[in-house]
Amino acid sequence: MAIHLITGAGSGIGAAVAARLAERGDELWLLARDANRAAVLRKQFPGSRTLIGDLATPDRLSWALGQQEQPVRLDSLLHIAGVVDLGGIGDLGTKVWNHTLAVNLVAPAELTRLFLPTLRVSKGQVVFVNSGSGLRAHAEWGVYAASKFGLKAVADSLRAEEHANGVRVTTVYPGRTATPMQERVHAQEGKAYDAASWITPESVATAVLTAVDLPRDAEITDLTVRPGR
């Protein structure tokens, strides 16, 4: 039985990944921003364990997690949570920048740092669910893309640093996926939302699990998933 720590398990891609792992009997540790959210996640995924830590305040994660029981073994750390606010570089102020970078970039880096000793012992894997915006930036997407470009750099550096320790590092770059976040993006764009036009979360979950389940003689470093319709 493998042990996984997942962020963003409440909906979208994170929920799809968590459901697949739970179905096959793996042990789930799910990060929640507060106690109420943790209770919801435990009900959503019976038998799972929860850790409380707010990704929006990454400087507090070390203290928060230090007050809680943590997994003694960890086969994968799956960074799936994220936020997005659209707007021009000339329009969005530091509040949006700081929040987006905290949740999408600094918190994943900090969580990785905190759990890296456990991952090294287990020769585990870190998966960053990034975005197509982590490879190419478009108008109105600058803040989000900056956070995702940065996350790619974290993953690439981590892979080079931890290869000798047996820790695998994978970045998945999904295109637009039918999630609550995508629905909010469409609202910000002023466009009608049709979930059937986009990748399903389950398809992205398949890509994530393909990387996680790959035999240890190989490593998927970067995986791009694009809409097939």
Side-chain angles (χ1 to χ4, degrees):
M1 180 178 64
I3 302 174
H4 312 274
L5 173 57
I6 308 172
T7 73
S11 66
I13 296 169
V17 170
R20 293 274 292 275
L21 293 173
E23 286 169 3
R24 68 191 202 183
D26 286 0
E27 181 177 320
L28 304 184
W29 288 72
L30 310 177
L31 187 75
R33 61 178 173 267
D34 55 40
N36 289 336
R37 187 61 174 164
V40 171
L41 287 173
R42 289 193 299 272
K43 184 176 181 179
Q44 185 176 353
F45 299 102
S48 65
R49 309 284 294 273
T50 53
L51 289 168
I52 297 173
D54 190 351
L55 298 179
T57 54
D59 56 323
R60 301 178 187 174
L61 286 172
S62 179
W63 179 88
L65 295 175
Q67 312 306 306
Q68 304 168 69
E69 181 184 359
Q70 299 182 27
V72 295
R73 194 182 93 239
L74 198 56
D75 296 294
S76 79
L77 171 57
L78 307 174
H79 296 288
I80 307 179
V83 296
V84 58
D85 283 291
L86 302 187
I89 300 298
D91 300 319
L92 298 180
T94 57
K95 182 177 180 180
V96 172
W97 276 99
N98 289 334
H99 180 66
T100 303
L101 292 173
V103 174
N104 292 357
L105 176 58
V106 181
E110 175 66 353
L111 278 178
T112 300
R113 183 184 73 85
L114 295 173
F115 286 102
L116 199 49
T118 306
L119 288 160
R120 286 169 177 159
V121 171
S122 303
K123 296 190 182 302
Q125 183 161 354
V126 184
V127 176
F128 297 92
V129 175
N130 196 297
S131 166
S133 293
L135 297 171
R136 179 177 297 178
H138 298 281
E140 307 293 320
W141 287 78
V143 176
Y144 180 72
S147 71
K148 293 300 188 175
F149 268 66
L151 194 63
K152 179 185 185 301
V154 168
D156 291 348
S157 294
L158 181 69
R159 185 180 304 111
E161 293 164 2
E162 295 300 323
H163 181 78
N165 293 323
V167 176
R168 302 195 299 192
V169 180
T170 299
T171 296
V172 180
Y173 301 94
R176 293 204 182 209
T177 305
T179 66
M181 176 186 283
Q182 190 59 232
E183 190 170 1
R184 291 192 296 272
V185 165
H186 274 68
Q188 293 179 51
E189 293 176 321
K191 297 178 180 178
Y193 175 68
D194 178 11
S197 299
W198 308 114
I199 306 168
T200 67
E202 290 73 23
S203 292
V204 181
T206 296
V208 171
L209 295 187
T210 296
V212 170
D213 293 340
L214 193 71
R216 294 297 309 185
D217 65 318
E219 174 184 25
I220 294 176
T221 59
D222 297 276
L223 186 55
T224 299
V225 185
R226 304 301 301 168
R229 297 181 179 89

